[in-house]
Amino acid sequence: MKKQIFSFLTIAAGSFLFVACSDSKATYVDLETGKSIEVKKDDATGKMVNAETGDPVTFYVDTRSNDTLYGANGKVVNGEIVRTSEGKYILSDDLKIKADEDEYKIKGDDYKMKVEKDGDIKIKDGDTKTKIDEDGKKVKQD
């Protein structure tokens, strides 16, 4: 009798875990925080927000499809984003790239990078300025 009850409880627990794990809701991860979240469309703005906090979600990953999505419009942006030195993500389309024989420049709203012919690199990312040259790396916060 004890063996039958144990078997029944084992099957019931397994069934419960299967049902819980096969939840029809997709699992998302906020790319900025790395935390699992539920997302919903904000009725007022049409943008995706964290369903629990109501905070806007810039980029999030659908862990079932492994797609990265843009919160402003829900568009799949796999391979179209760049991570800045401060750990923020931006769309590569938002960057302007300019290159000539003396330097290479990348510019976004809050991000600038300049690579000079001699190998010196200057990065401005928000309030952080980084300079990399033969003497090493220097970081300055404004």
Side-chain angles (χ1 to χ4, degrees), residues 45-61:
T45 64
K47 296 180 179 181
M48 301 306 283
V49 296
N50 181 319
E52 185 178 317
T53 65
D55 294 333
V57 180
T58 307
F59 297 102
Y60 58 100
V61 177

Side-chain angles (χ1 to χ4, degrees), residues 24-92:
S24 63
K25 292 181 184 177
T27 303
Y28 301 106
V29 174
D30 184 329
L31 202 54
E32 295 289 335
T33 65
K35 295 181 180 178
S36 293
I37 60 169
E38 284 188 42
V39 294
K40 71 174 187 172
K41 192 174 199 174
D42 183 276
D43 293 332
T45 64
K47 296 180 179 181
M48 301 306 283
V49 296
N50 181 319
E52 185 178 317
T53 65
D55 294 333
V57 180
T58 307
F59 297 102
Y60 58 100
V61 177
D62 180 336
T63 59
R64 291 187 181 196
S65 66
N66 289 325
D67 286 325
T68 303
L69 301 136
Y70 185 40
N73 56 18
K75 177 185 168 194
V76 175
V77 291
N78 297 336
E80 298 178 33
I81 59 174
V82 176
R83 185 173 187 203
T84 67
S85 60
E86 286 189 342
K88 297 178 186 173
Y89 291 89
I90 57 176
L91 285 171
S92 57

